[in-house]
Amino acid sequence: MKPFFKVKTVEEVLGLLERFQPLEAEEVELAGARGRVLAEDLQADEFVPDHDRSAMDGFAVRARDTFGAAETLPALFHLAGEVQMGLEPDFEIGPGQAARIWTGGMLPAGADAVVMIEYSRQVDETSVELSKPAAPWENVIRRGEDVKPGQVLLPAGLALRPQDLGLLAALGRSIVRVTRRPRAALISTGDEVIPITENPGPGRVRDVNTYSLGAMLEGFGAEVIRLGLIPDDPARLRAGVERGLALADLVIVSGGSSMGVRDFAVEVFSSFPGSEILVHGVAVSPGKPLIMAGLGNQSLWGLPGHAVSAMITADVFVRPLLDRLSGKTRLGKPWGRLVQAALARNVPSVHGRQDYIRVRLEQEGGGLKAHPILGKSGLVSTMVKADGLVCIGLNEEGRLAGSLAEVRLFDD
């Protein structure tokens, strides 16, 4: 008779992740660095831009010469020349002079402002009227206004966004030092589970988790190693987990995590020298029969076989681990962004567990309404119909219709 698992809270499980340390650093090319996590602070070593440049099409002038200029009394300027794009001007701006300049052009020496072309009128080839005064440095991007040497631009632990890559490009950083992506080995188990290319007979189901979990893990930033299907055989499962440990930082087994006579995950995980079962059971629904074992800085995970339970537990527990291994300074929130919505109906919950309710969102009466989608944890279509999840807390006994709830939207 197997001992029944000892249920932990979500917070207790997440606290156990602190034992796992970020992975080693590596260098990658800037073009492939989106989403990668910086392994060190990035400090500027030059000015960006390295010269004063125009932010508008117009005329470079001395700001004090434009004082009093107006539609009814424009100021007359002598044209000293035109700034050529990509070249340093070979002339200076003196009193009463202006230079034609285009957006991004280098400001000539002596100039400290740009009057927009909309407020100009060409009088002849050598002179122009300007009908609007300019304050000093108006319509000018100053040298170092974007970045100055010694400035910490991006901190270690930041997942790089497109705008961050743009800043690094402006500094000429073609190589970035980031934390290595975690590698996750994925195994599906069960005598009843068959490849998706086969027709299921009585008592058989196609392998959903290899594809749904694999895609989720890739979305979380992991490199996924799919080790395929393994039947309910402890020797073969151990061989599969052993192979996963040789290839990956974490091994995820879907199915076999509960207390049935053919649930072998705990037995297999415990068989590895140095392995410690950290979690066997968590106070969530769906997803109670979760297993987590530690083996040095590697981890072994037993997720429920039911598709919905597997996806939710992967998001709530495995995603923060991947964030930690990736070196993120803050653990990621489950799935995507959060929105507020009013519940369309009463949602009951059992005190002492954290419930994740699938909901569909609709725009109603100027706000969002969340419609709970009911269905057992084996019905993957309920996740397809849903736009996100509402979490009912451990000490709540449900939510009333009309009450506001935080909806965690699914990633695209």
Side-chain angles (χ1 to χ4, degrees):
M1 186 73 178
K2 296 180 181 180
F4 196 79
F5 40 52
K6 296 180 180 180
V7 174
K8 295 184 182 296
T9 66
V10 171
E11 288 71 24
E12 287 173 330
V13 176
L14 294 178
L16 291 169
L17 300 183
E18 295 180 6
R19 64 183 283 150
F20 300 102
Q21 300 304 309
L23 302 172
E24 69 275 13
E26 63 182 7
E27 292 185 339
V28 299
E29 293 187 2
L30 183 63
R34 182 182 183 276
R36 302 299 299 271
V37 179
L38 286 175
E40 60 188 7
D41 290 346
L42 276 179
Q43 195 172 49
D45 54 7
E46 61 185 69
F47 288 98
V48 178
D50 67 355
H51 57 271
D52 297 333
R53 60 201 296 262
S54 177
M56 297 286 178
D57 293 342
F59 292 88
V61 295
R62 303 193 319 169
R64 58 185 176 274
D65 293 343
T66 67
F67 179 75
E71 287 283 348
T72 55
L73 189 63
L76 184 66
F77 289 81
H78 176 75
L79 285 173
E82 179 175 335
V83 175
Q84 300 299 311
M85 294 299 294
L87 297 177
E88 182 177 357
D90 58 359
F91 57 87
E92 295 186 12
I93 298 297
Q97 291 184 325
R100 186 180 296 276
I101 194 168
W102 308 105
T103 301
M106 183 176 180
L107 218 65
D112 63 357
V114 172
V115 177
M116 294 168 61
I117 200 168
E118 293 93 314
Y119 302 106
S120 69
R121 186 181 73 86
Q122 186 101 19
V123 177
D124 52 39
E125 291 184 0
T126 61
S127 57
V128 63
E129 288 182 341
L130 302 179
S131 58
K132 188 176 186 297
W137 306 114
E138 185 174 350
N139 298 321
V140 174
I141 298 175
R142 301 293 308 276
R143 179 176 187 254
E145 186 173 334
D146 210 0
V147 173
K148 292 181 174 60
Q151 179 181 352
V152 175
L153 303 175
L154 303 171
L158 175 73
L160 291 168
R161 304 162 297 173
Q163 57 267 43
D164 302 324
L165 302 189
L167 182 58
L168 294 174
L171 287 162
R173 304 289 182 90
S174 60
I175 301 295
V176 188
R177 190 170 175 81
V178 297
T179 307
R180 174 174 66 78
R181 285 189 190 276
R183 290 188 285 267
L186 183 58
I187 298 171
S188 283
T189 67
D191 290 338
E192 78 282 10
V193 184
I194 63 172
I196 64 171
T197 53
E198 296 182 13
N199 292 320
R204 298 298 186 95
V205 293
R206 291 191 177 98
D207 176 20
V208 170
N209 290 340
T210 289
Y211 300 91
S212 56
L213 290 178
M216 286 183 72
L217 295 169
E218 288 172 342
F220 299 160
E223 294 179 8
V224 179
I225 303 166
R226 294 170 174 84
L227 297 182
L229 283 168
I230 294 178
D232 292 323
D233 179 302
R236 293 179 64 178
L237 179 58
R238 192 186 192 285
V241 172
E242 186 173 24
R243 183 182 174 212
L245 286 170
L247 298 171
D249 304 293
L250 62 154
V251 180
I252 298 172
V253 176
S254 70
S257 63
S258 194
M259 301 304 300
V261 294
R262 302 193 66 76
D263 293 321
F264 301 114
V266 165
E267 175 186 331
V268 167
F269 293 173
S270 300
S271 70
F272 290 93
S275 174
E276 180 184 0
I277 301 298
L278 302 171
V279 178
H280 190 196
V282 62
V284 299
S285 177
K288 181 180 179 181
L290 174 80
I291 302 169
M292 178 176 70
L295 188 60
N297 206 46
Q298 292 177 290
S299 59
L300 304 172
W301 293 80
L303 304 188
H306 284 164
V308 175
S309 301
M311 283 187 273
I312 290 176
T313 51
D315 176 71
V316 176
F317 302 108
V318 180
R319 180 175 188 166
L321 171 69
L322 293 172
D323 285 348
R324 187 169 184 84
L325 294 178
S326 298
K328 286 185 182 179
T329 53
R330 289 182 295 179
L331 297 184
K333 290 186 177 180
W335 261 303
R337 58 191 177 90
L338 307 175
V339 298
Q340 294 283 328
L343 289 171
R345 50 162 289 174
N346 292 341
V347 179
S349 179
V350 175
H351 190 276
R353 76 181 185 196
Q354 197 160 296
D355 277 344
Y356 288 89
I357 310 299
R358 290 143 276 173
V359 297
R360 172 177 50 83
L361 294 176
E362 289 188 0
Q363 190 77 33
E364 295 182 19
L368 285 175
K369 185 155 284 189
H371 295 264
I373 296 175
L374 304 179
K376 298 181 176 65
S377 60
L379 303 179
V380 69
S381 64
T382 61
M383 292 290 279
V384 175
K385 295 172 184 175
D387 297 305
L389 299 173
V390 169
C391 178
I392 309 296
L394 190 71
N395 298 315
E396 296 183 72
E397 293 183 351
R399 302 275 183 88
L400 295 175
S403 62
L404 284 178
E406 195 173 65
V407 181
R408 295 170 174 172
L409 298 180
F410 295 156
D411 288 335
D412 293 335

